[in-house]
Amino acid sequence: MLNKEENFFLLAGPCAIEGEEMAMRIAERIVQITNKLNIPYTFKGSFKKANRSRIDSFTGIGDEKALKILEKVGRTFGVPTVTDIHEIADATMAAAYVDVLQIPAFLVRQTDLVVAAAKTGKTVNLKKGQFMSPESMQHAVQKVLDSGNEHVLITDRGTMFGYQDLIVDFRGIPTMRAYAPVVMDVTHSLQQPNQQSGVTGGRPEMIETIARAAIVNNADGLFIETHFDPKNAKSDGANMLHLDLLEGLLTRLVAIRETIYNF
């Protein structure tokens, strides 16, 4: 949990690993920014995308290739790395390369997957299901704890509101902080899924609104997907933050946090 002396932490990077050059470029810039602002940082990148709207959507460059890029990012910049897993076999495979295993929101009730991640000994980041209440996440956390792993996070990424929108109920932050440190997934909370085109939409202009509210409500960390060319990103470009905007956003958020704890 955060205290007055601590900053929020950040999980950030591209939605998916598209190649080594893009991953290293994004990581280098974020490391520069977070070092400047004293924000603990973990690089995020999906080694594969299993939950896609259409069969022709980008899924990855190859599992081992992408995982080796994540490993190189962590080694080069001295930062932890996080990636999401979708199948039980992914847990052991990904754990050999990254520091944090993320359970996607649609899969967070899959007991065998959560337990497999926990048993690797890696930190487990549980995405709150879009269909779940904050209170129900205590049971997902307990599965990790009962597997002998105390390293667990909860990440809120919004709740379904109708067919094509998500809302964020900020009452969930203090509720879930009773179970584990809570991260606010700013960018996925602004997705607009289930579009007729089969390509998920988004509202990136609202990123700062969600991020500010999360910091004010004592989120322990933020999750932000960012890219230097969101329009041409191979996954989730519609709701990602342009990399050029990240430093300004984080600078303002750090100032907000300092202000809150100076009262």
Side-chain angles (χ1 to χ4, degrees):
M1 299 295 184
L2 291 176
N3 58 46
K4 293 184 179 181
E5 289 71 39
E6 292 178 326
N7 212 340
F8 58 87
F9 59 86
L10 177 69
L11 283 66
C15 177
I17 300 298
E18 301 169 10
E20 182 175 317
E21 189 277 332
M22 64 83 67
M24 298 294 282
R25 176 177 171 183
I26 293 170
E28 181 177 25
R29 181 64 184 129
I30 302 177
V31 167
Q32 291 171 350
I33 295 168
T34 52
N35 283 347
K36 178 180 178 181
L37 297 174
N38 295 312
I39 298 173
Y41 172 54
T42 298
F43 178 83
K44 182 270 168 184
S46 296
F47 77 94
K48 68 178 176 182
K49 302 298 295 182
N51 176 23
R52 312 302 291 147
S53 297
R54 302 187 330 200
I55 197 169
D56 60 347
S57 296
F58 174 79
T59 58
I61 60 174
D63 294 355
E64 188 174 10
K65 183 177 181 180
L67 286 167
K68 285 183 176 180
I69 291 171
L70 283 162
E71 182 182 47
K72 183 173 181 178
V73 167
R75 185 175 64 249
T76 301
F77 299 105
V79 297
T81 54
V82 55
T83 198
D84 40 332
I85 61 173
H86 306 87
E87 302 176 28
I88 294 171
D90 290 346
T92 301
M93 176 176 64
Y97 298 93
V98 303
D99 304 284
V100 182
L101 299 179
Q102 181 168 287
I103 307 298
F106 282 123
L107 299 176
V108 75
R109 283 178 53 87
Q110 297 297 105
T111 299
D112 288 349
L113 181 62
V114 173
V115 170
K119 287 187 176 296
T120 67
K122 300 289 184 175
T123 297
V124 180
N125 183 26
L126 300 167
K127 286 286 194 80
K128 184 185 83 65
Q130 302 93 323
F131 47 87
M132 293 172 66
S133 69
E135 291 80 3
S136 64
M137 286 302 294
Q138 65 182 302
H139 304 298
V141 170
Q142 195 61 47
K143 291 175 184 178
V144 178
L145 299 178
D146 288 345
S147 299
N149 188 339
E150 297 182 353
H151 306 291
V152 58
L153 307 171
I154 301 172
T155 294
D156 193 354
R157 49 89 23 95
T159 301
M160 289 302 299
F161 185 70
Y163 290 114
Q164 295 178 327
D165 208 357
L166 295 159
I167 60 170
V168 177
D169 181 354
F170 288 98
R171 296 174 299 176
I173 293 177
T175 297
M176 293 187 292
R177 287 185 88 219
Y179 318 136
V182 172
V183 180
M184 185 72 240
D185 183 343
V186 179
T187 46
H188 283 108
S189 296
L190 294 166
Q191 279 186 334
Q192 294 178 314
N194 304 320
Q195 301 295 311
Q196 287 186 338
S197 66
V199 178
T200 298
R203 299 191 64 190
E205 73 277 7
M206 299 295 291
I207 286 173
E208 186 153 348
T209 299
I210 299 295
R212 283 174 176 247
I215 295 301
V216 168
N217 286 286
N218 297 321
D220 297 279
L222 296 177
F223 180 109
I224 298 175
E225 288 189 339
T226 182
H227 198 289
F228 51 79
D229 187 12
K231 289 184 178 180
N232 291 304
K234 296 185 181 296
S235 179
D236 281 3
N239 55 272
M240 275 199 278
L241 180 71
H242 197 292
L243 188 59
D244 290 346
L245 301 177
L246 184 63
E247 182 172 3
L249 172 63
L250 292 178
T251 299
R252 292 187 291 275
L253 295 176
V254 168
I256 290 171
R257 174 157 174 79
E258 290 175 348
T259 299
I260 291 170
Y261 285 104
N262 280 333
F263 280 107

